[in-house]
Amino acid sequence: MSARMLAVYDGSGIDGGLYTRVTGWADRAPYWLDQLVTVWSAVGLGLFAVFMVYAWWRARGAGSAAMARVLASPLIVVLAYAVNSGFKGVVEEVRPCAQIAGTVTLEACPGTGDWSFPSNHTVIAFAAATALWFVDRRLGAVAYVAAVLMGASRVWVGVHYPHDVLVGAVVGVLVAAPLALAAGRAAPLVDRARSGPLRPLLGAGAGAVPTAGESPLEAQRR
């Protein structure tokens, strides 16, 4: 059985019924809710960029390993996206909105060749949340909640099966976790950069030593 035949069979055979149920809920939901979910699904990934900027700002007063992980976060997300794109090209799963007759979607169904499995949006969201988790547990927890909402929104608007989202979450976490851990080993590079012209961007880090007449708080802000 070819990859394309397997994808077509698996798409509706795994959880096509659940997908139809969710899109049915969306079709009967209040207009304001559908609009909210549609907007979130379309532009919500931008929130993860905001999270990363916030993490960078906080990491200016943290250890060099934390700053190294913050700086690596965008690259980690890009790598997770690249891995996921490879999976899409191998499986070539047809979008559920193109596969299941009579489906009513909130978002226009992507065209032929824009494969469904796994969900890119979900991979990006969970990769970002995982990278942030290794920087700041509280921020990471908030980002994980946002990632779950992003994944759920992709099914609600009708462009993904639930299993696309579930596997996308797994791919995002599995790719990002080891990379985020490894990024902490770049702390010595951050230490050296903090002693040079990049110090205003990277901050003094944790445990900065006050100079004469300077308070510990002022030292942290240097």
Side-chain angles (χ1 to χ4, degrees):
M1 182 179 291
S2 70
R4 186 185 297 274
M5 291 174 62
L6 179 63
V8 171
Y9 172 78
D10 283 350
S12 59
I14 294 175
D15 50 15
L18 179 57
Y19 166 82
T20 301
R21 182 179 302 176
V22 172
T23 55
W25 292 339
D27 189 41
R28 296 187 296 272
Y31 176 78
W32 65 265
L33 177 59
D34 281 345
Q35 286 297 105
L36 182 64
V37 175
T38 301
V39 171
W40 167 250
S41 182
V43 302
L45 289 180
L47 180 61
F48 295 91
V50 174
F51 285 156
M52 289 182 183
V53 172
Y54 177 70
W56 160 75
W57 183 258
R58 287 178 56 86
R60 293 171 70 253
S64 293
M67 178 57 80
R69 287 174 178 141
V70 169
L71 296 177
S73 293
L75 179 58
I76 290 172
V77 171
V78 170
L79 290 173
Y81 174 83
V83 170
N84 194 62
S85 295
F87 285 150
K88 279 179 173 285
V90 170
V91 178
E92 296 187 347
E93 179 187 76
V94 177
R95 295 274 182 171
C97 44
Q99 193 172 29
I100 300 178
T103 300
V104 177
T105 63
L106 301 180
E107 185 176 304
C109 190
T112 303
D114 189 343
W115 309 116
S116 187
F117 176 88
S119 164
N120 276 333
H121 280 68
T122 307
V123 168
I124 291 170
F126 274 87
T130 301
L132 291 169
W133 172 264
F134 286 96
V135 176
D136 184 313
R137 292 292 189 266
R138 290 184 179 180
L139 180 59
V142 173
Y144 271 126
V145 172
V148 170
L149 293 176
M150 175 54 68
S153 75
R154 301 304 288 165
V155 182
W156 189 269
V157 300
V159 296
H160 279 291
Y161 289 110
H163 69 265
D164 297 337
V165 168
L166 178 60
V167 175
V170 172
V171 171
V173 172
L174 291 183
V175 173
L179 292 176
L181 284 171
R185 298 179 182 177
L189 296 177
V190 175
D191 284 332
R192 287 196 289 272
R194 277 176 162 168
S195 63
L198 292 178
R199 183 168 183 165
L201 292 176
L202 302 180
V209 178
T211 59
E214 186 178 48
S215 71
L217 180 59
E218 288 170 331
Q220 290 289 347
R221 290 176 176 172
R222 273 195 276 119

